């Protein structure tokens, strides 16, 4: 059975422009990724905590209906070994990816990049 969902990933520039860079059309990855964000824990930070971090973007899409299910801005805070995200419905509510899901999400976003 062909998957009807995709996970699309990219970056957000300083002006807020989203550039989609890749897409995963795999139902298992879609479900695991969506669960990873759904399990995020609310944290208290101020925007200054992330202003110097690169903003990544991830969206979950129903390809049959050409409908975005949910979308998030994501920041990797390597100094504190955490991944922070906010969704586009509640842009000033910040969440933290659970520790057990950090490596999965890091691999999903960066699996095609060459490590320097």
């Amino acid at each position: 059975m062909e998957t009807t969902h995709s996970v699309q990933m990219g970056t957000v520039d300083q002006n807020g422009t989203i550039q989609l860079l890749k897409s995963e059309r795999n139902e298992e990855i879609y479900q695991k990724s969506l669960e990873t964000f759904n399990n995020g824990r609310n944290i208290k930070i101020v925007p200054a905590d992330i202003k110097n971090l690169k903003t990544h973007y991830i969206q979950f899409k129903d390809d049959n209906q050409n409908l975005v299910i949910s979308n998030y801005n994501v920041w990797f805070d390597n100094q504190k070994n955490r991944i922070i995200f906010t969704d586009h419905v509640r842009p000033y509510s910040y969440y933290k990816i659970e520790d057990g899901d950090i490596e999965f999400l890091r691999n999903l976003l960066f699996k095609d990049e060459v490590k320097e």
Side-chain angles (χ1 to χ4, degrees):
M1 184 173 133
E2 187 176 320
T3 184
T4 62
H5 297 103
S6 63
V7 179
Q8 298 175 332
M9 297 151 281
T11 59
V12 180
D13 70 15
Q14 296 161 332
N15 299 319
T17 303
I18 298 166
Q19 179 181 12
L20 292 176
L21 302 173
K22 61 184 175 180
S23 182
E24 281 284 339
R25 287 188 49 107
N26 177 306
E27 197 66 31
E28 186 176 324
I29 289 173
Y30 174 86
Q31 293 299 331
K32 171 67 174 156
S33 302
L34 194 56
E35 179 182 317
T36 295
F37 282 92
N38 288 339
N39 290 339
R41 195 165 41 101
N42 190 285
I43 60 172
K44 184 172 179 123
I45 65 168
V46 294
D49 292 343
I50 57 173
K51 86 172 193 181
N52 293 324
L53 301 176
K54 181 176 181 178
T55 305
H56 299 272
Y57 177 81
I58 189 164
Q59 73 181 17
F60 298 92
K61 187 173 177 186
D62 180 327
D63 293 322
N64 282 350
Q65 297 180 24
N66 196 27
L67 176 70
V68 174
I69 305 296
S70 57
N71 50 354
Y72 304 93
N73 285 349
V74 180
W75 299 271
F76 289 83
D77 184 349
N78 292 321
Q79 289 183 335
K80 295 184 180 178
N81 194 32
R82 64 183 180 174
I83 299 175
I84 300 165
F85 70 94
T86 188
D87 65 39
H88 285 243
V89 175
R90 296 175 297 276
Y92 297 105
S93 293
Y94 295 94
Y95 303 87
K96 177 183 178 273
I97 295 294
E98 292 295 322
D99 291 343
D101 293 325
I102 289 175
E103 198 59 35
F104 167 78
L105 190 57
R106 189 182 307 274
N107 287 338
L108 179 65
L109 286 169
F110 301 120
K111 74 177 180 180
D112 297 331
E113 292 184 8
V114 176
K115 301 218 189 292
E116 295 178 6

